[in-house]
Amino acid sequence: MPKTKTVFQLVILVSLCLFLSPGAWAHGHAHGHKKPDKRGILLVAFGSSYPQAQASFENIEARVKKAFPQVPVRWAYTSRIIRHKLNEKGKHYDSTAMALAKMMDEGFTHVAVQSLHTIPGAEFHDLRSIVTGFESMSCGFEKILLGYPLLSAPQDLVAVRDAMLNTIPEERKAGEAVIFMGHGTHHPSNAFYQAMAHSFQQEDPNVYVGTVEGSPSLEDILDRIEDKGTDTAYLMPFMSVAGDHVRNDMAGPGADSWKSILADKGIRTEAVLKGTAEYNTIADIWLDHLQDVFSHL
Ligand code: CO
């Protein structure tokens, strides 16, 4: 069995690096031999404990490996709750800091970290501060760069809109509603959901965006759907994975699921249980962001 460092040893390694980082100490690696270049990719997602959600992660990983056949790809899940749940089932996932510490230990010199988030919200900014921390370690990586989430630049909004419109099932008739369920957040980046909602409405007035935890909410769009007299609505995730929110809040049997709320209003629903990362057209927008940062490594 290969000898691996313990969590404790990795923590010591990272702490020493941080301690030795500031200016006067920064000549640390000048004394040693320059390490040979070793490039790697770290994919970072919130994570999901639903086995079905793995389809999204597997698809992204396959796209990334196809684009970078020679580059080792590692994963990190940011949700501690999900990591613990998976750990109980014998599936081990690292946090971002742990995954990066291990990559440092394995001798990676250049790392592209790719956010698999949908918007640059609180989780993305947490990820950025971890990446910045590793960047400041003098005995760490030579270069570490972070790729933007799905929606960041204005052209992403157009690309995502067009790709998402193409994922709507062909059976859907023009007058029927489509509701994309986004996560939503208290973070100012919630505005990305509002921007997407507006953008969809410009293309097709029967396509809506609702969010679980931000705005627009389902209530915000219910009146408009009812006013149009629509009897059918397609419920589709605007989340990378079809996990807990999709299977319970969107399409679950509970009285407060979107499916049940719409049924109470006499609107029949068709739920699509597929995360956005399962569609290559959308996965490739994340991949574009990764290719962009990788080219600057
Ligand atoms: Co949530």
Side-chain angles (χ1 to χ4, degrees):
M1 226 180 109
K3 200 171 160 238
T4 49
K5 286 202 166 59
T6 63
V7 170
F8 180 72
Q9 284 171 311
L10 284 168
V11 168
I12 295 292
L13 172 84
V14 170
S15 321
L16 276 174
C17 250
L18 275 170
F19 178 69
L20 294 170
S21 289
W25 300 85
H27 302 289
H29 63 207
H31 297 295
H33 295 284
K34 192 185 178 297
K35 282 185 265 178
D37 279 5
K38 187 174 176 184
R39 283 160 208 276
I41 290 169
L42 177 66
L43 302 175
V44 181
F46 179 77
S48 175
S49 56
Y50 278 74
Q52 303 94 322
Q54 289 304 317
S56 284
F57 300 136
E58 282 163 12
N59 190 44
I60 289 263
E61 184 173 298
R63 306 297 290 169
V64 170
K65 284 186 170 165
K66 194 171 169 221
F68 300 96
Q70 314 294 341
V71 184
V73 177
R74 304 278 191 267
W75 277 93
Y77 282 1
T78 59
S79 167
R80 183 178 292 133
I81 296 170
I82 286 170
R83 276 187 277 115
H84 282 203
K85 267 191 198 172
L86 289 168
N87 214 12
E88 280 165 16
K89 294 179 195 160
K91 290 176 184 135
H92 183 78
Y93 282 88
D94 288 325
S95 66
T96 310
M98 184 54 77
L100 287 173
K102 285 182 179 173
M103 288 179 90
M104 249 169 72
D105 187 51
E106 285 178 67
F108 283 91
T109 55
H110 295 74
V111 176
V113 179
Q114 180 56 49
S115 150
L116 298 178
H117 301 110
T118 298
I119 56 156
E123 282 162 33
F124 175 75
H125 286 90
D126 289 347
L127 172 59
R128 169 129 76 193
S129 67
I130 293 169
V131 170
T132 307
F134 275 84
E135 198 178 14
S136 69
M137 293 179 201
S138 62
C139 50
F141 305 117
E142 274 178 51
K143 204 161 185 187
I144 177 168
L145 294 172
L146 173 60
Y148 282 120
L150 185 67
L151 296 170
S152 49
Q155 64 267 26
D156 295 331
L157 276 77
V158 178
V160 170
R161 179 197 66 198
D162 293 346
M164 300 258 315
L165 287 172
N166 274 316
T167 65
I168 297 171
E170 278 174 26
E171 312 83 77
R172 179 242 175 179
K173 297 183 194 77
E176 294 172 341
V178 175
I179 309 172
F180 288 118
M181 180 199 250
H183 195 280
T185 173
H186 58 277
H187 190 276
S189 278
N190 186 74
F192 279 96
Y193 292 107
Q194 292 157 336
M196 286 303 300
H198 178 73
S199 187
F200 282 125
Q201 286 279 297
Q202 301 284 86
E203 290 297 303
D204 181 338
N206 293 314
V207 177
Y208 304 88
V209 174
T211 64
V212 191
E213 289 174 23
S215 76
S217 63
L218 180 63
E219 291 68 47
D220 292 336
I221 56 181
L222 264 184
D223 285 349
R224 282 189 283 151
I225 293 174
E226 280 191 291
D227 285 350
K228 288 187 180 155
T230 317
D231 63 355
T232 302
Y234 282 77
L235 295 175
M236 300 182 70
F238 185 29
M239 299 185 189
S240 60
V241 301
D244 190 48
H245 286 305
V246 170
R247 285 162 206 281
N248 291 314
D249 301 327
M250 188 184 93
D256 49 7
S257 76
W258 289 16
K259 179 186 172 158
S260 303
I261 293 168
L262 286 157
D264 284 347
K265 306 269 182 193
I267 299 169
R268 191 179 70 87
T269 53
E270 289 285 347
V272 179
L273 303 180
K274 238 175 136 177
T276 54
E278 291 182 61
Y279 301 100
N280 287 344
T281 47
I282 300 171
D284 287 354
I285 298 170
W286 272 291
L287 183 59
D288 279 349
H289 295 177
L290 171 60
Q291 275 167 323
D292 186 33
V293 288
F294 199 88
S295 71
H296 291 95
L297 267 189

